[in-house]
Structures are given as structure tokens and as C-alpha cells.
Amino acid sequence: MEEAVITRKLTKKFGDFIATNEITFTVNPGEIFGFLGANGAGKTTAIRMLCGLLAPTSGEAKVAGYDVYQQSEQIKHVIGYMSQKFSLYEDLTVRENIRFYGGIYGLSGAEIKRQTESILETLSLQPVAHSLVASLPLGWKQKLAFSVAMVHNPKIVFLDEPTGGVDPITRRQFWDMIYQAAHRGTTIFVTTHYMDEAEYCNRVSIMVDGRIQALDTPRALKQTYGVDSMDGVFQILAAALPPNELIVRC
Amino acid sequence: MTNNMDAIVINDISKKYGTTSVLQNISFSVRQGELFGLIGPDGAGKTTLFKILVTLLPADSGQAQVVGRDVVQDYKKLRILIGYMPGRFSLYPDLSVQENLSFFATVFGTTIEANYELIQDIYSQLEPFKNRLAGKLSGGMKQKLALCCALIHKPEVLFLDEPTTGVDAVSRKEFWEMLRRLKERGLTILVSTPYMDEAGLCDRIALIQTGQILAVDTPEGITQSFGKALYAVRAANTYQLIQDLRQAPFTASVYAFGEYLHLTTQSETTTPEQIVAYLQARQHQGLEIKKITPTIEDSFMALMAQQPAA
């Protein structure tokens, strides 16, 4: 099977500053891939390049078989994206949000209707289908945002800190949805600051200072660094290098 | 002020926004010199409670005193005695690091020099970049500057609303070490966080969810009152394991926790051997089961599940 993501020496510079420095990795189809790193390590820049939103300075990358330089428009059709900061329109209703994203991704009217009913039923959101998203509890919004990011049945979904601030039960329900999606064959590319969630991933990469410092299964990483949790691995890797505090955030 | 006095006393505080109840009959106290954590997810009411305590928002009912002053009657006197770091970035992005600090010092009628000793430890890391605009700092640096600005008038009580949200695990650890050192100097600190793993760093904690306090105790006290046997279970196929354990007749609750699942059983007579036998019958490989001490997050979820609907 073709890799979901493949990069070779992918680099992005902003002036003199190297945000992403020759990162090379692959993500397998159907894999839950954890993309970790400290604030300012270069994760967001890397994700923006992979989503076809930012042209790399050098290196290569393919997402679902499409080249990030030449085929960024095709990439956008086969990926889903959700972040804690932006995903749904607060001043649209639940139904309107689903219809909007369905339309953006070019689904037919019939498909949008079918997806809407399916999402409302799966998440038990029928009673609030006509409520503004702004009025929903955060946990519901996050689950809806994930479903909307999956509305066009993407091959890969990028989740940028999807569970920040969510209560612990909802956070686990959210991971159930991730597991189910992966089980059906969708590739999951996820960032998080919760180190216990890193353990839920098939493989994890840890970025430090623009580079990928480690990439393996959680268990192998713990063995390599002689610690019993991913938090331990992260503390060793991310604290080992000089503080990267003065980066102008882009 | 006497040593055994409570620095913060909250008595039956309630607050609604329109018809939405945000805080329901909140009562607890924070002792002088304590590092006290308010732990709960977004939307639990943490920020609303902070705003009431720092005199920025009146409660609908109930009273609160901070360092012996009523938050409504004595709000003007109180504002000088407390430091507040709101959750959202509270600095002026178009002022430099030094200008921000000097602005907050001036507002409180003091100077950077007068209380420099209190912030020295933290500010010394920022000083090489004192002419940089605050808006151009990284997240971790902004957070340190905001803390300095909240400390510059030498408050008696410090209120930190989610100082570590969205901050990576290494910077979070660093920040908690700073709080520890401030506490050692006698400052009372009330800090809120959605990260349950930070609870263990507090002297005492209150767990809050949908506007209700679930428990107030030391972190050890909270986990000791879990009151049920808790097992960590692992197998080669985690996804299948969680499905099977959910279906199991003996299961009371099952939640993912890192590479293990945490399981409680309906009956205390269920043995680990019975659980293993059940899973072996379903072809699980690499099975491991061990009895464990609950974490704050285990306790929080158990209390959430018991909580009456809001």
C-alpha cells in the first residue's frame, strides 16, 4: 500500500529562521500517528506544508500520493483538518455547519443530507440540530468538529490539539472516535500536549528545534530512553536542547 | 494577619449567565501560604469563579473574602492586595517586555526596583530581551512576563487562571517549579488548570465540573477516597480490548489511560484471574493485569459519573 504521508528532508525557512529542518518520515495508511513537540518546535509549520497551505523551502513531501508543490489542490480534497482553535462556525447551527463543510468539499445534496442525518444520529445531536454551535458544550463541539472534518471521507485527517481543555470522559470518547476512524482505514495525524494520549498512537514522532529527534512506537521509545511513560521520553528529549524560547511565532 | 487565617473564603457562591447556571453553591477555603489547585475542564466555571474572587464580576448570591476583605464591599482595597493572571494573554503586545512590567508597576503605584527581588528569579530569564515587543515573544516567555506583571506590586494572594493551558509538557513543569518557589516565600496561590496530572503538585485541590465542586482535599486524600479496586489492563490489541471489556459482565467502568486501560468491577469479588480468563477466551495476546493506585483523573471521572445532572 502507498504511504499516507512521505517526506524527505522537508524544510521551511522564514528568513534566517529554520522552522522545519530536513524532516524525513513516513506515515502508513490507517495508522494513528502522534506528532509531538514543544511549543515552537515546528509542528504547525510542518502540518501546514502537509495540508498544502504553505510551500516548503526545500525537500520533498507527498500526501495521499499527491505532491505538496504541484498538487496542493488535490491534497485539500482528500484530507480533513480540525484544530481546537478553529473548526466550526459558532454563529451557524449544527446542521448549517455540516451542510457548509459538505458543500465546501463538493458533496452532492443527497450525500450532504445522508451525512447530516448520520452525524446527528451518531452523536445524538438531533435535539440541538437547529441550535447555534456557540451554545453547545465544548465536548460536543469537539466531537462535531471531528465528524465534520470527516464528512467527505478523507484518506487522512490532521488533528491539531483536538482535545485541549476537554473533560477527561469526553476526551476518551473523542479517542474512541479516532480509533473507530482508524479502524475503518482513515489515517490519523494528531498533535497533543497530553502525554497519555501519545500512548494511544501506533507511532509517535517528537520534534525538537525544527528536527525530528525520535520516531518509533511508544513502547520502543520508552525502552530506548529507559523510562516508563511518554512524558518521561518527552521530558528527556525536549529538555535536552537549549531553550527555543525566542522564536517569533508564525 | 494571623498565620492560621484563611487567605480565601468562599461561601455558597452562585452565578448565572442568563438562564445558564455557571456556578452552583460553591464553598471552600484556601489557607494562607497554600498552593491550591482548582482542577476542571473548560466550561466548568473556573474563570467565572476567578473573576468573582478578583472583584471583576459580582456573584448572584453568596459571599467571598480574600485576605479578610469582602470581594464586593472592599473591592478597592482588595485589588492592591492580589495579583491576577487571566487565562488569555493579558499583556500589551505593542509594548516591550520592560514597558509592560513598568506599566503594571506604575498602575499599582510602585516601581520595578522596589519589588525586584520577588520577580528576579523569573525576570532574569527575560531581561536579555527586555526591549523586545511582548507580542513577539514565544508562548513560554509571554507566560513568564505575565507572571512577573501579576507579581510586581508584591500581592499577598496570587490568582493564576489556566497559566499552563496549551503549553508543552516541559514548559509546564518549569512553570510549576516557579510556583513552588513563590509558595516557599509565603505567597498564597490559587491556580486553575484542566490538566489533571498537575493536581499532584498542589497542597490541596478542588475538583470542579459543570459549576459544582466534586471534592476538596489533598491530592492523596482525593485518590484514597476512590474506594474501589482499580486494575490496569494491557493487551496487544488495545482497540479490541476496550470493546471486549465494555461488553464484559463484570465491568463497572473502563477508560483508556496511556498504554493501559483502567478497569473497575461491579463486584469486589471479581478476581484478576477471572478477568484474564475472560480475555483469554477472546483470543487476547500479551495480556497484563495489575492492581493500581488511582490517579486524580481516575477519581475525577468516578466523581463525574456520580454527579447529579446540572
Side-chain angles (χ1 to χ4, degrees), chain A residues 47 51 79-83 86-87 105 145 149 152 157-160:
Chain A
I47 290 177
C51 291
I79 63 169
Y81 175 81
M82 165 199 171
S83 83
F86 172 78
S87 33
Y105 284 116
H152 55 302
V157 63
F158 290 87
L159 307 172
D160 197 0

Side-chain angles (χ1 to χ4, degrees), chain B:
Chain B
M1 212 167 99
T2 55
N3 271 340
N4 51 15
M5 195 173 154
D6 284 329
I8 304 172
V9 179
I10 302 162
N11 186 11
D12 210 20
I13 290 273
S14 294
K15 179 75 189 174
K16 281 184 182 177
Y17 293 130
T19 54
T20 310
S21 182
V22 187
L23 295 172
Q24 297 171 55
N25 310 102
I26 303 286
S27 299
F28 66 86
S29 298
V30 177
R31 293 173 198 139
Q32 204 194 338
E34 206 168 29
L35 176 52
F36 191 101
L38 183 63
I39 319 273
D42 288 5
K46 302 189 298 295
T47 299
T48 300
L49 183 59
F50 268 64
K51 284 186 177 163
I52 290 171
L53 295 177
V54 300
T55 79
L56 295 178
L57 184 75
D60 295 341
S61 59
Q63 303 85 39
Q65 287 93 40
V66 177
V67 285
R69 271 85 169 176
D70 186 273
V71 295
V72 178
Q73 314 288 317
D74 303 324
Y75 78 96
K76 276 191 179 163
K77 281 180 204 149
L78 189 50
R79 284 181 183 181
I80 303 162
L81 302 173
I82 58 177
Y84 172 45
M85 181 173 154
R88 290 274 172 91
F89 184 44
S90 58
L91 303 168
Y92 292 92
D94 48 358
L95 293 185
S96 72
V97 167
Q98 191 174 25
E99 284 166 344
N100 266 287
L101 192 58
S102 132
F103 172 81
F104 281 96
T106 311
V107 163
F108 283 105
T110 183
T111 59
I112 298 180
E113 293 73 29
N115 296 317
Y116 188 72
E117 171 250 2
L118 185 64
I119 60 161
Q120 188 173 18
D121 185 28
I122 308 159
Y123 192 65
S124 61
Q125 302 167 50
L126 295 165
E127 217 154 20
F129 320 103
K130 61 184 181 187
N131 296 321
R132 190 178 289 249
L133 294 186
K136 302 264 178 185
L137 296 174
S138 74
M141 289 294 245
K142 278 179 185 167
Q143 185 199 38
K144 282 175 194 155
L145 178 57
L147 182 59
C148 288
C149 291
L151 281 170
I152 195 60
H153 60 295
K154 211 173 179 186
E156 292 185 32
V157 182
L158 193 55
F159 292 88
L160 307 172
D161 193 8
E162 298 206 24
T164 56
T165 293
V167 175
D168 69 68
V170 171
S171 307
R172 286 206 275 140
K173 203 175 160 196
E174 234 180 65
F175 194 81
W176 276 93
E177 278 161 17
M178 287 190 274
L179 296 190
R180 231 336 111 189
R181 288 198 290 273
L182 289 171
K183 177 214 145 70
E184 280 162 15
R185 306 180 62 128
L187 209 63
T188 304
I189 304 172
L190 178 63
V191 56
S192 70
T193 178
Y195 296 102
M196 307 274 153
D197 59 348
E198 293 180 345
L201 304 166
C202 302
D203 298 321
R204 286 193 308 144
I205 55 174
L207 303 182
I208 184 167
Q209 164 72 1
T210 54
Q212 297 173 328
I213 298 289
L214 301 176
V216 180
D217 207 334
T218 60
E220 300 74 32
I222 301 253
T223 51
Q224 273 161 19
S225 53
F226 189 73
K228 287 185 111 179
L230 183 69
Y231 297 100
V233 190
R234 179 163 83 173
N237 186 339
T238 310
Y239 181 70
Q240 196 53 48
L241 183 66
I242 201 163
Q243 309 294 327
D244 286 339
L245 281 176
R246 278 200 188 126
Q247 306 287 327
F250 51 76
T251 297
S253 70
V254 55
Y255 294 115
F257 263 84
E259 63 176 316
Y260 289 91
L261 302 181
H262 285 191
L263 172 78
T264 61
T265 54
Q266 293 182 10
S267 158
E268 293 296 305
T269 58
T270 307
T271 65
E273 291 73 25
Q274 287 170 322
I275 297 167
V276 168
Y278 177 87
L279 293 171
Q280 276 170 343
R282 279 153 189 81
Q283 322 303 326
H284 278 285
Q285 304 289 316
L287 273 173
E288 183 190 338
I289 183 164
K290 55 186 179 184
K291 200 166 175 178
I292 53 162
T293 312
T295 64
I296 294 290
E297 197 156 352
D298 289 302
S299 302
F300 193 96
M301 289 197 286
L303 290 163
M304 253 180 97
Q306 287 166 19
Q307 189 186 20

Side-chain angles (χ1 to χ4, degrees), chain A residues 43-85:
Chain A
K43 300 188 299 288
T44 302
T45 301
I47 290 177
R48 287 172 65 194
M49 288 191 281
L50 297 178
C51 291
L53 298 173
L54 185 67
T57 307
S58 61
E60 296 160 26
K62 277 186 176 182
V63 174
Y66 295 116
D67 181 80
V68 294
Y69 294 93
Q70 309 292 331
Q71 298 171 299
S72 62
E73 286 314 305
Q74 285 95 321
I75 289 176
K76 287 172 198 165
H77 284 280
V78 295
I79 63 169
Y81 175 81
M82 165 199 171
S83 83
Q84 192 198 351
K85 290 177 197 87

Side-chain angles (χ1 to χ4, degrees), chain A residues 116-136:
Chain A
T116 303
E117 297 317 317
S118 152
I119 291 171
L120 292 178
E121 197 195 320
T122 312
L123 301 179
S124 307
L125 287 176
Q126 291 104 332
V128 292
H130 294 286
S131 303
L132 294 185
V133 160
S135 70
L136 300 184

